[in-house]
Amino acid sequence: MWLQKFLAQLKHKGKREKGREGVNERNPCRIYTVGDIGITIPGARAWGGGEIPASTKLIFMAPQEEAGPNNFPPEAKAYIVGHGLAAWRLAVSKGLPAITPEKALALAGEMTPPAENGGQVQPQPGKTGRGNSGATIIVVYSSKTSVGKTSVTANLGTMLAKEGKKVCLVDADPGGRTLTNLALGIATTGDIASPQKIPWGLDLVPSLPDNPAISMTEAKNSIRELAGGYDIILVDAPGRLELPLYTRAFLETAGHIILMASCDHAAVAAVRAFVAGKMDELQIRPITHLVANQTQPLPPLKPGEVAKRVGLELTGVIPHDPLVDRMFAEGKPIPLMRLGRKGSVFLNALKELKTKGAY
């Protein structure tokens, strides 16, 4: 069961030395309170009116639960934790996000013990994009070019906007400007503080210049300000191992990272170099989802072989779709096209990624 494994991992990380297990007298629901990081974790049965400590910042609910607490503490963020259909159904019924146990552990790891702050638990500096108020930040990244990052960013953002989400796309590539060209028809730079409205029903921050005068703290503060105005921020990152300032800042503050690899030897080698060298340094392994993009009708490698060589579990596969070429020719994402009865295998693959926790 995910709950026991989760608590064991917390204990292993030294985060649960002062934790305690409470039992609700009105209902045999176990409530775990990890006191030194301020997290309350319900057990597998219904809450039945159990009280939550006012200092709680994160609430993790098992997908087997039939009911949840009616009143959350004012600053608490609640999540459904688990894999598969049960977690997704509970998330839909309660209007809460569903996350994997690995993501839950990553969020828990961002909480620091109470210090001289009246017993309140605060997030660590530089982690404000994970587990806090504001937009969910999704970075579409690869250390190789031409693997489908822009296609995923543009289509996923437009799809989410059509679902009623307030979405902002960010072109974090200071040189390529592919997303900017696609959306605006011109190559231009932008300012993270001044998103532009585009005809796709969402906003865009055009190509961000790599400004050496900006510090990492300033970059993360500007990301925090941008996140306050949206539900979703989707970042189209440049395809290279050497990370520009804003790309690194977005990676370190992201809630989800979609790591793209096309099914060819050069792309796999580049992504493997990133996984082996940069991923642990950035502390993003728990929130990174490997996606194999079959950009060719008959790619050299199968998706399973891509995952094996990269060294990550495969989250999803995007089949080859001729509509992607049409998108670049017309400057219009696939969700805005008139499609036939078969629809788009590309969009279907993006929807499948949601069920697997990639965003």
Side-chain angles (χ1 to χ4, degrees):
M1 182 180 178
W2 74 266
L3 182 60
Q4 280 82 6
K5 292 181 179 178
F6 181 80
L7 290 173
Q9 287 177 291
L10 283 182
K11 185 176 182 180
H12 176 71
K13 288 177 174 288
K15 295 288 187 180
R16 201 181 166 234
E17 293 178 359
K18 299 180 181 178
R20 69 181 188 278
E21 177 182 340
V23 178
N24 183 350
E25 297 294 338
R26 299 174 57 186
N27 188 285
C29 163
R30 294 182 298 176
I31 301 176
Y32 292 89
T33 304
V34 186
D36 55 347
I37 57 174
I39 299 176
T40 299
I41 307 174
R45 286 191 258 180
W47 276 74
E51 295 183 359
I52 308 172
S55 62
T56 299
K57 296 296 180 183
L58 297 177
I59 299 172
F60 295 139
M61 300 171 60
Q64 294 88 352
E65 292 182 90
E66 299 175 359
N70 295 322
N71 297 313
F72 294 155
E75 298 183 17
K77 297 282 287 185
Y79 299 91
I80 309 299
V81 182
H83 297 281
L85 189 59
W88 181 79
R89 284 177 173 171
L90 185 62
V92 170
S93 68
K94 295 188 177 300
L96 295 173
I99 60 176
T100 63
E102 292 78 15
K103 174 63 185 298
L105 187 65
L107 292 176
E110 293 168 15
M111 307 303 289
T112 57
E116 297 179 1
N117 53 16
Q120 298 297 311
V121 179
Q122 301 294 335
Q124 292 180 0
K127 299 290 187 178
T128 54
R130 303 177 192 170
N132 292 313
S133 60
T136 298
I137 298 175
I138 307 168
V139 178
V140 184
Y141 172 76
S142 179
S143 43
K144 178 72 169 61
T145 59
S146 303
V147 295
K149 298 187 303 296
T150 299
S151 303
V152 168
T153 305
N155 286 294
L156 180 56
T158 307
M159 190 171 70
L160 291 171
K162 289 191 70 175
E163 293 176 359
K165 301 291 186 183
K166 190 174 183 182
V167 180
C168 182
L169 305 183
V170 177
D171 186 348
D173 191 340
R177 303 176 186 172
T178 307
L179 179 62
T180 302
N181 285 345
L182 178 65
L184 302 179
I186 58 173
T188 183
T189 58
D191 183 348
I192 195 170
S194 303
Q196 302 180 23
K197 292 191 177 299
I198 58 176
W200 302 349
L202 38 74
D203 292 354
L204 168 73
V205 175
S207 180
L208 284 173
D210 194 11
N211 187 350
I214 299 176
S215 69
M216 180 60 70
T217 300
E218 290 172 322
K220 289 182 177 179
N221 285 339
S222 64
I223 291 172
R224 185 184 299 111
E225 292 177 6
L226 180 68
Y230 296 93
D231 299 317
I232 303 287
I233 293 176
L234 265 164
V235 182
D236 187 13
R240 56 184 180 178
L241 273 172
E242 183 183 350
L243 302 175
L245 176 71
Y246 267 112
T247 300
R248 186 180 183 109
F250 272 115
L251 286 172
E252 291 184 356
T253 56
H256 299 275
I257 296 167
I258 299 176
L259 181 61
M260 302 291 301
S262 56
C263 298
D264 61 83
H265 297 280
V268 168
V271 173
R272 182 173 57 195
F274 171 77
V275 171
K278 284 281 187 181
M279 183 172 287
D280 291 327
E281 174 190 337
L282 297 170
Q283 299 181 5
I284 60 173
R285 187 176 293 270
I287 59 169
T288 300
H289 314 276
L290 177 65
V291 174
N293 188 13
Q294 296 175 314
T295 56
Q296 308 170 45
L298 295 173
L301 297 173
K302 294 182 179 180
E305 183 66 20
V306 171
K308 183 178 179 180
R309 295 191 183 189
V310 168
L312 287 179
E313 182 180 349
L314 187 64
T315 300
V317 178
I318 300 178
H320 173 72
D321 191 340
L323 289 174
V324 173
D325 294 330
R326 179 180 161 190
M327 176 188 75
F328 284 100
E330 298 181 5
K332 181 191 300 183
I334 298 174
L336 301 182
M337 297 178 184
R338 180 173 294 180
L339 305 177
R341 288 184 301 174
K342 293 184 179 180
S344 165
V345 293
F346 192 96
L347 294 186
N348 292 339
L350 292 185
K351 294 174 184 177
E352 181 67 20
L353 289 178
K354 184 174 184 178
T355 67
K356 296 181 178 180
Y359 63 89

